[in-house]
Amino acid sequence: MGAAKRMRTNPRQLAAEVLNGLELSDLAESIEIAGPGFLNIRLSPSFLSDQLTDSTLLAETKNPKRVVVDYSSPNLAKEMHVGHLRSTVIGDAVARTLELAGHTVIRQNHIGDWGTAFGRLLAFLDDVGDEAAQDAELSDIEALYVEASQKFESDLAFANRSRSMVLALQAHEPTAIAKWEHFMMLAQQHMSEIYSRLDISLQPQDTRGESAYNSTIAPLISDLQKRDDVLVESEGALCIFMPEFKNKDGDIQPMIVQKSDGGYLYHTTDLAALRYRGETLHADRVLYFTDARQILHFEMLFAASRLANIVEPGVMLEHHPFGKILGNDGKPFRTRSGDNILLRDLIDEAIDRATSLIHEKNPNLDDEQQDEVAHAVAVGAVKYADLSKNRLHDYTFNWDEMLAFDGNTAPYLQYAYARISSIFEKGNIDMGQCSEPPRLDTEVERQLAVHLLRFQEVVEQVVADAKPHYLCSFLYELTVRFMRFYEHCPILSEEPQIRDGRLTLCSRTAATLKTGLDALGIRVLTRM
RNA sequence: GCGCCUGUAGCUCAAUGGAUAGAGCAUUGGCCUUCUAAGCCAACGGUUGAAGGUUCGAAUCCUUCCAGGCGUGCCA
C-alpha cells in the first residue's frame, strides 16, 4: 500500500496486479486480497514444517557492526539505587541482543568516578582513619557519602580539605590517588556484586569511567582551539555555540566545555569519551542509555561532535532515553521516607517475595531448587517488567503485577519453558535431537509454527530501534500460542509420528524462548 | 516564555500510516482420574485528552487548545 501511495494508484487494484505476478505455489496454500489491499498469504503446512525441521532459529547479520553500548554508568559517590536500574537492564538487553544478531559489542560502563563528590569522600575517609577506610564495607558507601556531605555543609575546614583533595587528585598526587584507587576498588566490588545478582553482563574491564578521560581532555580542548570557529570564550568559560540551541531568553545556549574556574563538565568528558570510542574503539555505532532528562545534553553533544569532527561522519550516534520509574502513587518510586531505593534492597525484596510465592505454589522443590527458582523468578520479574514496556514512557513499579505469574510477565514465560522441559524429562527424550517434521494438523499448531518463524525479524527490530519490548511482546505471544497448543494437543500419548512432530514444535519453542530470554538477560528454568 | 516528552478499557500496558484499536489484571461463568491449573476456554469492558486538517486509510503525520512531566550557562 505504500507502493500504491507512491504510484498514486488504488491499493486494491495494485494488489490484484501483484497477485497475478506472484508464483508462490511451493510455499503458499492460498493468497487472497483483503481489506484495503492486503495480500494475505496462507503458508502451506509443508513449507512451515520444512522451515521448522531446520533447528536454526536465526541467521547472523550479513552486515556486522562494531557497536559501543554505554549503559548503567552509575555515579559511584553513592550506592547503586533504583535510579540506575533502567539504564542497566535495558542497556544490557540491547547489548546482548546485538551480540545475538552477530554484531561486535563493546560495553562501556561510563561511571561517575571523578569530581567534587570524591574530594568529599576521600577527605572524610581521612578523618575516620585509614583503618576504618581499609575495612569499609561496600554497603558503607552510601552512609559515608551522606556523612561526608553533611560535614561538607557544616564544617568549613572539612570543606576546604575536600576541595584541596580534588586538586590533589587532578594533580595525580600519589597518596590521594592511592586513596582514590582503594575507594574505586570498593566501588567496583559493589557494582560487580549488584551486576552478578541481577545477571547483568557488565564486567570490570567494561568499566571506563570519567577519570579515564582525565588526561585526554586538555589535548581535546587544545585541538578544538586550533579551529577558531568552534570554541568561544564567554563569561570566562570556553563554549561551543550552536544556533539551533536556544535558552530561556531566546539567546543561543552555549555548550560549556571548560568552566570559568578551569574545571570540566560532563559535556567535556563525554566529548573525550566519544573521541575515544571513534578513534580507539573504531565504533560504527555508539548507543547511550540514559534517562530522558538528558535528551538535550546528547543533542548538543552529538551536534558538537559533528561540528568539530570528533567522530567520523559515518558513525551513528544514538541516544536511547527512557522514562521514570513511578510508585503506585504515580510519583517517583522511593522509600516511604523519600530516599532512593537501593538495588541490594530491591533485589532482596524481590527474592523474598518470590521465595514465599514459590513455597506456596510448589512445596515439593528442595531448598537448593527453591533458591535457584526464586532467584531466576525474582530477577526475571523485575527485569521483564521494565523491558516489556516501551522505554520512552514512565512506568509504574508494582510488585504484585510483576510477580503475578500470569499475563505478560517473566514467570509466565519461565513456566512455559519448565512445562516443555518436563515433557522431555517425562518422555526421557533429548530436546536437541528433534528433527521429525511437525504435521501441523490443527490450527493451534499452525499458529505456533507461523509465529516461531518471525523471531528473526523481531531481533532485527530490536537491533534497529534499541527497544527490547518488541522482543518481550514476541516471546509473550509465542508463549500464549504454546500454552494453547499444550492444552489442546496431547504429545507423549500420541502415535510416534505425530508425537515426534509435536516434540519438534516443543523443542523449537523452548530454544526460541531460551535464546530470546537470554537476550533479555533472563534465565530459563527446567523446573519451577 | 521557548524546547522536548507523555495522554489509549476501572488498573497496568501493546499497536512499523493500514483490516473490526489488541493483551493482561480486576469482574463474571466454564475446564483437572490424562505431558506442571504458576495453565486453558469464554463473557464483560473504548468518542485513543479536545477540536480541526492531510490521506483511499490516522491512536500514529500537521495546526490549535487542555492536562501532566522534564529541560532551558558554569551538577550529571
Side-chain angles (χ1 to χ4, degrees), chain A residues 60 63 103-104 107 143 147 155 185 187 207 214 218 230 238 241 265 284 294 336 352 377 418 423 428 450 466 498 527:
Chain A
E60 292 202 342
N63 187 14
H103 299 283
T104 300
R107 292 166 172 78
E147 282 188 62
D155 183 339
M185 186 200 70
T207 297
N214 195 37
V230 177
L238 284 179
F241 285 89
L265 295 162
D284 299 312
Q294 297 189 37
R336 280 195 204 92
D352 284 350
V377 165
I423 296 169
N428 197 21
V450 168
I498 292 176
R527 188 180 295 185

Side-chain angles (χ1 to χ4, degrees), chain A residues 14 47 51 70 99 116 130 179 194 197 283 298 338 348 357:
Chain A
L14 182 67
F47 173 78
Q51 294 292 308
D70 178 329
E99 279 174 339
T116 56
D130 282 348
K179 288 183 175 58
I194 295 287
R197 294 185 76 195
F298 281 101
D348 286 346
L357 282 166

Side-chain angles (χ1 to χ4, degrees), chain A residues 136-383:
Chain A
E137 292 290 323
L138 308 172
S139 54
D140 294 339
I141 294 172
E142 178 85 31
L144 286 172
Y145 183 71
V146 169
E147 282 188 62
S149 295
Q150 285 166 354
K151 195 164 181 180
F152 186 87
E153 298 295 327
S154 61
D155 183 339
L156 195 63
F158 176 77
N160 285 331
R161 278 207 305 286
S162 297
R163 292 197 185 94
S164 55
M165 186 64 83
V166 174
L167 294 175
L169 277 174
Q170 285 174 347
H172 274 74
E173 198 269 301
T175 54
I177 291 292
K179 288 183 175 58
W180 176 82
E181 283 176 346
H182 175 72
F183 177 76
M184 290 319 299
M185 186 200 70
L186 289 177
Q188 183 64 60
Q189 280 176 16
H190 169 66
M191 282 192 297
S192 293
E193 186 185 328
I194 295 287
Y195 294 150
S196 167
R197 294 185 76 195
L198 279 176
D199 294 327
I200 296 297
S201 62
L202 281 167
Q203 298 298 314
Q205 61 267 27
D206 301 321
T207 297
R208 193 175 170 86
E210 293 173 345
S211 63
Y213 302 101
N214 195 37
S215 62
T216 64
I217 288 178
L220 171 73
I221 289 179
S222 147
D223 287 349
L224 291 176
Q225 277 173 325
K226 287 172 191 159
R227 303 190 39 171
D228 54 8
D229 54 334
V230 177
L231 276 189
V232 176
E233 194 187 319
S234 166
E235 298 174 28
L238 284 179
C239 306
I240 301 175
F241 285 89
M242 293 171 284
E244 61 267 43
F245 300 103
K246 300 277 202 303
N247 67 14
K248 57 190 167 192
D249 301 321
D251 301 326
I252 298 177
Q253 177 177 342
M255 171 167 157
I256 297 177
V257 175
Q258 186 167 22
K259 294 193 284 184
S260 48
D261 68 359
Y264 304 124
L265 295 162
Y266 63 135
H267 278 126
T268 329
T269 314
D270 270 338
L271 277 172
L274 190 46
R275 184 185 226 188
Y276 169 78
R277 289 162 188 186
E279 288 181 358
T280 306
L281 299 178
H282 304 291
D284 299 312
R285 278 177 84 181
V286 186
L287 277 51
Y288 295 86
F289 292 88
T290 80
D291 73 83
R293 286 176 303 191
Q294 297 189 37
I295 288 174
L296 179 60
H297 163 63
F298 281 101
E299 283 177 358
M300 294 182 85
L301 176 69
F302 296 163
S305 71
R306 298 299 186 199
L307 183 69
N309 280 310
I310 299 286
V311 290
E312 298 287 325
V315 179
M316 295 167 69
L317 305 177
E318 306 168 28
H319 179 219
H320 296 292
F322 48 81
K324 292 187 290 291
I325 302 181
L326 305 177
N328 284 327
D329 56 2
K331 293 178 185 157
F333 187 46
R334 288 176 181 278
T335 63
R336 280 195 204 92
S337 55
D339 296 325
N340 282 323
I341 296 169
L342 301 180
L343 287 185
R344 63 184 161 93
D345 294 339
L346 186 90
I347 297 165
D348 286 346
E349 180 163 3
I351 290 175
D352 284 350
R353 286 172 178 265
T355 302
S356 64
L357 282 166
I358 287 154
H359 189 69
E360 184 187 315
K361 299 283 187 189
N362 191 351
N364 298 324
L365 296 172
D366 63 40
D367 285 355
E368 197 181 326
Q369 287 169 335
Q370 202 168 5
D371 287 349
E372 187 200 346
V373 173
H375 181 269
V377 165
V379 170
V382 169
K383 292 171 89 171

Side-chain angles (χ1 to χ4, degrees), chain A residues 302-497:
Chain A
F302 296 163
S305 71
R306 298 299 186 199
L307 183 69
N309 280 310
I310 299 286
V311 290
E312 298 287 325
V315 179
M316 295 167 69
L317 305 177
E318 306 168 28
H319 179 219
H320 296 292
F322 48 81
K324 292 187 290 291
I325 302 181
L326 305 177
N328 284 327
D329 56 2
K331 293 178 185 157
F333 187 46
R334 288 176 181 278
T335 63
R336 280 195 204 92
S337 55
D339 296 325
N340 282 323
I341 296 169
L342 301 180
L343 287 185
R344 63 184 161 93
D345 294 339
L346 186 90
I347 297 165
D348 286 346
E349 180 163 3
I351 290 175
D352 284 350
R353 286 172 178 265
T355 302
S356 64
L357 282 166
I358 287 154
H359 189 69
E360 184 187 315
K361 299 283 187 189
N362 191 351
N364 298 324
L365 296 172
D366 63 40
D367 285 355
E368 197 181 326
Q369 287 169 335
Q370 202 168 5
D371 287 349
E372 187 200 346
V373 173
H375 181 269
V377 165
V379 170
V382 169
K383 292 171 89 171
Y384 192 87
D386 197 325
L387 294 169
S388 62
K389 294 162 180 95
N390 187 335
R391 61 173 161 72
L392 292 171
H393 304 12
D394 293 350
Y395 92 91
T396 308
F397 193 97
N398 185 312
W399 284 116
D400 293 332
E401 283 177 13
M402 70 179 70
L403 285 162
F405 296 12
D406 45 21
N408 189 8
T409 64
Y412 178 74
L413 308 193
Q414 288 167 321
Y415 178 59
Y417 190 88
R419 278 182 133 182
I420 299 173
S421 299
S422 183
I423 296 169
F424 285 91
E425 196 186 315
K426 275 263 159 50
N428 197 21
I429 299 157
D430 183 352
M431 203 187 277
Q433 295 301 310
C434 294
S435 59
E436 177 69 22
R439 290 189 40 179
L440 309 176
D441 297 322
T442 64
E443 189 58 23
V444 286
E445 288 172 277
R446 240 196 91 78
Q447 290 297 322
L448 177 58
V450 168
H451 197 73
L452 279 165
L453 299 183
R454 297 190 48 207
F455 186 50
Q456 173 97 38
E457 102 182 62
V458 171
V459 168
E460 285 168 6
Q461 283 168 356
V462 176
V463 165
D465 295 350
K467 285 184 169 176
H469 81 280
Y470 295 158
L471 180 53
C472 294
S473 296
F474 168 83
L475 294 174
Y476 174 63
E477 180 63 22
L478 175 66
T479 302
V480 167
R481 289 176 189 224
F482 171 77
M483 291 293 201
R484 281 181 198 142
F485 160 67
Y486 180 92
E487 296 283 343
H488 291 99
C489 301
I491 298 165
L492 294 176
S493 58
E494 285 288 341
E495 58 184 82
Q497 201 202 350

